Amino acid sequence: MTNRVCLVHYHEIGLKGKNRSTFENQLVRNLRCALRSFPVKGIKRISGHLLVTVEDGFASQELAHAISRVPGVARVSLAYLCGLDQDEYCAAAVKALGEAGEFTTFKVHARRSSTDYELHTLDINRLVGGVLCQEFPDKKVAMHGPDVTVIVMVVNASVYVYADTGRGVGGLPVGTAGKVVTLLSSGFDSPVATWMVGRRGATCVPVHFSGRPMTADTSEYLCQDIVNALAPSGMIGRMYVVPFGEKQREISLAVPQSLRIITYRRIMFAVAERIAQIEGAKALVTGESLGQVASQTLDNISVVNEMVSLPVLRPLIGSDKLEIMSRAEEIGTYDISSQDAADCCTLFMPRRPETHAKPDQVHEAWDSFDHDAMIDDLVNSIEYVDFDQCPSYKPPRGYRARHRELAPAAFERDDVK
Ligand code: ATP
Ligand code: MG
């Protein structure tokens, strides 16, 4: 039986000129981690692709699917690996076309990585095409827009044959775009926003504000489930949790009801920015979508945004809820986000939140309590959970001194190593 391998295609990385090998090496590292539960024998570069081989020689659909979820992968093909023997690769082409599902037209497309091989690509096309016409007499050859293309790729002494190519998530390998802190709730939007920046190569460090001790810690476990659901894409190495319930109660007593949410969010942004400094992250990310809820009008976004000097990325700003939910389904977070859990957002909710906050009123409310002390206290009470699924995540060792300065109490506590 002819062996099977996975060929990984990555067009965007190919565009990166001199950085290409950095991107390829990162993709290899990320694939190694994402495929840990498979008996992978090797991952190596061949002729503009990555080749993934397994111990028993028979790569599976499941392996191809796992590869397709890793950012930076444009397409994956489960290919037959043959020698230069013509009968062998023609037989593989028959099998590959036989597995291609419903089709009426096809063509053969041969490629050679060097001119050493005796047959020219046109000869290979003719040879393999002739065999396929015999084996599939009711199918037609179409040079333009065929339903299926059988690829025959000659690289050194091997021939790779495949007909079916699965789409990957695309984007860039995680770890090639720096670090971001993402504000993660257990709702639908922020997990999708996190995944989207991760797909563009960012290493993501989520921060979740929980309502603890005023609520149960259910939302924290849902956020952990979300991080685990995103594990196949390898973008998260650590999640921070900030117990916010007590401080929310203080805010709810100090500021007018209609400005509570905005005030919570200003505190959340300030704390997230401090965590970004500890982590050496260069931007914050939220799941905001323009006008979706009261706190997401332009007026409200702007009075919250003024709290921070880091860029705030909002990958979903122009998305509709239905688009976001279908993406959540695709990335595996939908069912988790469908579960109800009280988090800090559900605590002390005002009856009529302000939709168009006036900066003066917001500032007056802000100055009515000791916000700096509150931010310090919250930063000092941060907790974190580590996840062994993100090769590019580096804990902030270089920031130890800074960590001590920014969160002295958190640094001394036993549960924070
Ligand atoms: P989501 O579905 O992401 O919860 P949402 O539609 O509920 O978003 P908001 O509650 O206004 O909208 O939250 C807007 C953004 O603020 C979220 O996408 C997320 O980035 C951040 N956020 C909200 N709640 C929390 C939380 N408890 N912890 C961390 N970030 C949060
Ligand atoms: Mg929410």
Side-chain angles (χ1 to χ4, degrees), residues 181-316:
V181 158
T182 84
L183 284 96
L184 183 72
S185 74
S186 61
F188 288 104
D189 306 335
S190 42
V192 173
T194 298
W195 180 84
M196 287 182 80
V197 284
R199 187 178 60 157
R200 296 306 305 167
T203 304
C204 299
V205 183
V207 177
H208 174 62
F209 290 81
S210 98
R212 192 157 43 94
M214 316 305 278
T215 64
D217 50 10
T218 321
S219 71
E220 298 169 31
Y221 286 102
L222 289 181
C223 286
Q224 287 196 33
D225 289 348
I226 285 166
V227 172
N228 283 323
L230 297 179
S233 53
M235 49 186 65
I236 298 171
R238 171 173 294 185
M239 176 176 81
Y240 287 89
V241 174
V242 186
F244 192 23
E246 201 72 68
K247 302 296 181 197
Q248 282 183 280
R249 198 176 51 83
E250 284 175 32
I251 293 172
S252 72
L253 295 175
V255 311
Q257 221 190 88
S258 61
L259 296 178
R260 270 183 205 165
I261 294 186
I262 284 171
T263 311
Y264 299 158
R265 300 182 65 75
R266 284 168 65 96
I267 295 277
M268 283 160 68
F269 267 49
V271 172
E273 187 171 59
R274 292 272 289 272
I275 294 175
Q277 286 167 343
I278 293 170
E279 282 283 337
K282 299 206 176 68
L284 302 183
V285 179
T286 76
E288 287 161 307
S289 153
L290 192 59
Q292 195 192 79
V293 291
S295 62
Q296 297 174 21
T297 62
L298 282 179
D299 287 323
N300 290 4
I301 286 178
S302 103
V303 289
V304 173
N305 207 82
E306 68 180 16
M307 289 306 302
V308 294
S309 51
L310 281 180
V312 180
L313 310 181
R314 298 179 173 86
L316 304 180

Side-chain angles (χ1 to χ4, degrees), residues 14 16 61 69 111 113 126 214 248 270 302 308 318 325 336:
K16 296 284 167 183
Q61 286 290 354
R69 298 190 67 180
R111 287 180 44 197
S113 68
R126 228 173 277 130
M214 316 305 278
Q248 282 183 280
S302 103
V308 294
M325 303 214 338
I336 307 165

Side-chain angles (χ1 to χ4, degrees), residues 29-87:
R29 276 197 289 277
N30 295 351
L31 281 169
R32 275 212 186 93
C33 178
L35 305 179
R36 273 181 307 190
S37 59
F38 293 87
V40 170
K41 187 171 166 204
I43 303 178
K44 65 171 186 182
R45 282 186 249 180
I46 58 154
S47 179
H49 301 77
L50 291 178
L51 174 69
V52 182
T53 51
V54 292
E55 293 293 349
D56 69 359
F58 299 100
S60 61
Q61 286 290 354
E62 290 74 32
L63 178 70
H65 178 69
I67 292 172
S68 74
R69 298 190 67 180
V70 176
V73 173
R75 290 176 294 119
V76 192
S77 315
L78 192 51
Y80 287 98
L81 169 58
C82 312
L84 294 176
D85 178 69
Q86 297 179 3
D87 289 342

Side-chain angles (χ1 to χ4, degrees), residues 130-164:
V131 172
L132 292 177
C133 286
Q134 263 176 13
E135 293 289 328
F136 298 87
D138 52 336
K139 308 294 183 191
K140 289 202 172 52
V141 173
M143 295 322 282
H144 300 287
D147 298 331
V148 184
T149 301
V150 178
I151 308 284
V152 179
M153 197 169 94
V154 184
V155 183
N156 303 326
S158 302
V159 181
Y160 302 89
V161 182
Y162 58 92
D164 198 14

